[in-house]
């Protein structure tokens, strides 16, 4: 399943990975398990889309207060790779 509705391939893995960033050991396990998908062009787009979703919810309704900082840093790293 790829999120709800239309989403880039890998959105589920991207959401799982970004949600795990507060627990580095778990994030490393998720990253290792889904590296082939997350490292693909569509996987990078999925990570950016997932990051945008999480950051948007953080700003709009106050969700993910602690998660927004590692997500923002990850998105910046991805954009630096472009």
């Amino acid at each position: 399943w790829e999120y709800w509705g239309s989403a880039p391939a890998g959105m589920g893995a991207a959401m799982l990975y970004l949600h795990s960033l507060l627990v580095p050991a778990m994030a490393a396990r998720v990253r290792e398990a889904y590296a082939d998908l997350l490292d693909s062009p569509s996987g990078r787009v999925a990570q950016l889309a997932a990051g945008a979703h999480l950051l948007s919810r953080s700003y709009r309704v106050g969700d993910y207060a602690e998660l927004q900082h590692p997500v923002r840093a990850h998105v910046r790293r991805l954009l630096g790779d472009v």
Side-chain angles (χ1 to χ4, degrees):
W1 108 189
E2 292 296 343
Y3 203 59
W4 293 101
S6 298
M11 186 70 162
M15 289 293 279
L16 180 61
Y17 178 61
L18 293 182
H19 275 92
S20 71
L21 290 176
L22 286 176
V23 183
M26 181 56 66
R29 290 179 64 188
V30 171
R31 182 102 182 95
E32 182 180 336
Y34 295 103
D36 58 332
L37 183 57
L38 294 172
D39 291 338
S40 71
S42 63
R44 287 186 177 90
V45 170
Q47 290 175 76
L48 291 171
H53 172 77
L54 294 174
L55 292 174
S56 173
R57 289 208 42 104
S58 174
Y59 295 124
R60 286 186 300 113
V61 293
D63 289 348
Y64 310 115
E66 293 178 17
L67 190 57
Q68 69 175 310
H69 303 293
V71 167
R72 187 179 304 112
H74 181 70
V75 166
R76 285 184 177 143
R77 279 190 300 274
L78 285 172
L79 290 173
D81 290 343
V82 175

